[in-house]
């Protein structure tokens, strides 16, 4: 597990290590060691941490990027893409695209960039 990620999640919630430990039912020293990278949580603790912070276990293990950690520009790009897809009727205003659908749309745009620009 990425200890820095855990520390950021905890600090973003305004929690002390002791408070987080109490909330998920483990010791203060365990939280401290996780954050310093001296120890790895077991599967049950990973599950509790992911549920408490509303992130995936993959995110805690550095296997994915959470939208909350995307740069502001990336989030704006995603919102712009969603608006464009809504405008052309690909999706309506109240639905959301999965990460895979957004990734596929971006790949399509990149692969068809010359076509979309028009012939010169």
């Amino acid at each position: 597990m990425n200890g820095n990620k855990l520390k950021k999640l905890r600090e973003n919630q305004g929690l002390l290590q002791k408070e987080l430990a109490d909330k998920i039912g483990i010791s203060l020293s365990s939280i401290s060691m996780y954050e310093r990278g001296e120890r790895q949580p077991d599967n049950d603790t990973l599950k509790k941490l992911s549920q408490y912070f509303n992130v995936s276990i993959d995110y805690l293990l550095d296997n994915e990027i959470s939208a909350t950690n995307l740069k502001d520009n990336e989030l704006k790009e995603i919102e712009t893409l969603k608006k464009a897809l809504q405008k052309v009727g690909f999706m309506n205003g109240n639905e959301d695209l999965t990460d895979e659908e957004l990734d596929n749309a971006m790949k399509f745009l990149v692969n068809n960039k010359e076509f979309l620009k028009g012939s010169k």
Side-chain angles (χ1 to χ4, degrees):
M1 180 178 75
N2 183 324
N4 290 328
K5 241 178 216 183
L6 176 60
K7 184 176 181 177
K8 277 188 174 183
L9 287 168
R10 178 181 59 77
E11 288 175 343
N12 286 343
Q13 296 278 322
L15 295 172
L16 299 172
Q17 288 179 339
K18 173 78 171 123
E19 292 171 318
L20 176 59
D22 290 344
K23 287 183 184 294
I24 65 168
I26 63 172
S27 69
L28 164 64
S29 63
S30 290
I31 295 291
S32 179
M33 286 188 279
Y34 299 156
E35 288 185 3
R36 291 192 313 264
E38 295 174 0
R39 183 175 166 191
Q40 293 297 310
D42 61 22
N43 290 341
D44 187 51
T45 303
L46 274 172
K47 185 176 178 183
K48 288 177 184 179
L49 287 167
S50 75
Q51 289 173 338
Y52 182 80
F53 290 113
N54 196 28
V55 297
S56 70
I57 291 173
D58 279 337
Y59 173 74
L60 291 172
L61 296 174
D62 272 344
N63 292 336
E64 71 176 30
I65 299 171
S66 171
T68 58
N69 283 354
L70 290 174
K71 295 177 185 168
D72 286 340
N73 288 342
E74 291 170 321
L75 289 173
K76 289 176 186 171
E77 289 173 359
I78 289 171
E79 287 307 311
T80 301
L81 176 59
K82 285 180 182 179
K83 287 178 185 174
L85 292 171
Q86 289 170 351
K87 190 171 186 175
V88 297
F90 182 78
M91 57 187 279
N92 58 39
N94 61 353
E95 70 181 330
D96 208 2
L97 293 176
T98 66
D99 290 341
E100 182 180 359
E101 289 170 325
L102 282 170
D103 188 48
N104 287 339
M106 289 299 290
K107 285 177 185 174
F108 174 82
L109 293 172
V110 169
N111 291 332
N112 292 285
K113 183 171 39 175
E114 293 306 315
F115 172 77
L116 294 169
K117 286 182 177 179
S119 57
K120 294 182 179 180

